[in-house]
Amino acid sequence: AVGFDASQAVEIKTTLVNPAFNDSSANSTQQAGLWFGLDEDNVAKIVAFKTGATTTRIQLQVEDFVTEGSTAPPEEINVEGLPALDSSIVELRLVTNPSTNEISGFYTIDGGTEQSVGTLSLGSHFFTGTDHDSNVGTANVSYAGVHTSLRNADATPTITFQFDDFSIGYDTTPPVITLVGDDPLDIAMGNVFSDPGATATDDFDGDISGNIVVGGDTVDTNTGGSYEITYDVLDAAGNAAVQLTRTVNVVSPTGTIIIVKDAQPDSDDTF
C-alpha cells in the first residue's frame, strides 16, 4: 500500500492482465482490483470478480465502519454479466472527490471504451487520513493499493493475478468546454432565443456538462445588436476550463416582402 495526501482529488489506476479466475473451479467471487481508504474496515474498492465459469462482475464497493457502523452492509454498485476475463486486459480506475466526499469507479476491457461503474459516498475521514507514525510533525495519510482475494474458494489451486502497473496521480488538468451550435449565431429580431449550450469533459470526472456556468449578456431579441455569452466550468479539483464565448447577433428580418395597395384606383387604371 502507498500512503498519500488525499485532501486533493486523485486518480488511482492499475491494469489487470489475464486474471486467471478459471484456475479455480469455484464460483465464489474470487477477485482482484484496486482499493483506497484507511484500513480493512474503511475501504473503497473496484474489483473484477468471478461469478461463474464464463461470467464476471465489476464491482465498486464501500465499507465505512466509522460512518455506518460495523454491522451495516457495504454500499456497492455492480456491473453484471460480463464475459470471462482470463484472456483480457482490464484497466481499473478510481477517482476521488474530497469536495463532495465521493469516489467513482471506471473500467476498460481490452482497450475498448471506458465504462463508468458509478459513484458512491465516503465519510470525510477517508480524505482527512490517519496518523501513521504518531509524529505530530508529519501529516495524516490515506492509503491505496492493489487487492486480491480468494474469498470463499478453496486455498488450492492458487490463483495468480498479474498487475501491469499501479499509479496515483493528482488532478492538475483542466476540463475542456465545447460549444454546441453556431458561433457567431444570428437570430431575427422578435424571435425567441434558445441558447444551444455547451458540453464539458474532464480527464478525471468525465462528463461535467451539468456544472457549466453560463454568464455574460442577456440576449434581448427586441433590440438589435451583438451579445456575448460566456461559458465556464470547474472540475472537482478546482481546475478551471478555458472560458468559451458565443456571439449572438440580433438582426433585422431578411427576405420580407411588403405589398402596398392603393386605397383608390388611379383615373387612368384600366379594368
Side-chain angles (χ1 to χ4, degrees):
V2 178
F4 61 96
D5 176 7
S7 63
Q8 304 176 55
V10 297
E11 177 185 62
I12 308 162
K13 298 192 297 184
T14 195
T15 302
L16 189 57
V17 181
N18 303 329
F21 289 117
N22 281 329
D23 284 355
S24 169
S25 60
N27 299 322
S28 303
T29 64
Q30 303 94 312
Q31 59 187 256
L34 282 173
W35 69 274
F36 161 75
L38 305 179
D39 51 44
E40 63 181 7
D41 296 325
N42 297 274
V43 61
K45 63 182 180 180
I46 183 170
V47 294
F49 68 74
K50 182 180 179 181
T51 56
T54 60
T55 57
T56 309
R57 171 190 299 164
I58 301 291
Q59 181 184 83
L60 178 66
Q61 185 185 85
V62 171
E63 293 185 68
D64 187 349
F65 280 20
V66 171
T67 303
E68 304 294 338
S70 60
T71 60
E75 298 288 334
E76 61 186 46
I77 303 173
N78 295 299
V79 178
E80 304 281 3
L82 297 175
L85 300 175
D86 293 61
S87 299
S88 294
I89 305 298
V90 184
E91 298 174 51
L92 299 173
R93 188 165 72 98
L94 290 173
V95 176
T96 68
N97 187 339
S99 65
T100 59
N101 291 337
E102 292 177 326
I103 191 164
S104 300
F106 305 86
Y107 72 95
T108 305
I109 298 176
D110 292 329
T113 302
E114 184 178 65
Q115 304 294 321
S116 171
V117 180
T119 299
L120 292 174
S121 296
L122 302 174
S124 60
H125 53 285
F126 277 80
F127 303 103
T128 55
T130 185
D131 182 0
H132 65 290
D133 61 1
S134 300
N135 184 342
V136 296
T138 57
N140 287 357
V141 297
S142 301
Y143 297 97
V146 295
H147 164 83
T148 64
S149 174
L150 285 174
R151 295 297 294 268
N152 299 319
D154 294 335
T156 56
T158 301
I159 302 177
T160 301
F161 295 107
Q162 177 184 340
F163 295 91
D164 193 44
D165 54 33
F166 171 78
S167 64
I168 301 172
Y170 291 101
D171 184 2
T172 59
T173 303
V176 176
I177 300 174
T178 303
L179 291 182
V180 176
D182 294 337
D183 178 41
L185 188 156
D186 292 342
I187 184 170
M189 290 182 63
N191 285 358
V192 176
F193 171 69
S194 179
D195 183 4
T199 61
T201 58
D202 184 71
D203 60 340
F204 272 40
D205 305 329
D207 184 355
I208 56 172
S209 302
N211 298 337
I212 293 176
V213 177
V214 180
D217 299 330
T218 300
V219 177
D220 179 3
T221 59
N222 293 315
T223 303
S226 293
Y227 300 83
E228 187 174 90
I229 300 174
T230 61
Y231 304 86
D232 295 278
V233 74
L234 299 175
D235 64 16
N239 299 307
V242 173
Q243 184 185 78
L244 292 190
T245 62
R246 186 197 315 274
T247 300
V248 179
N249 298 313
V250 177
V251 297
S252 298
T254 58
T256 302
I257 300 175
I258 302 176
I259 301 174
V260 178
K261 294 184 65 176
D262 289 337
Q264 298 292 332
D266 291 338
S267 59
D268 58 351
D269 284 345
T270 301
F271 296 91

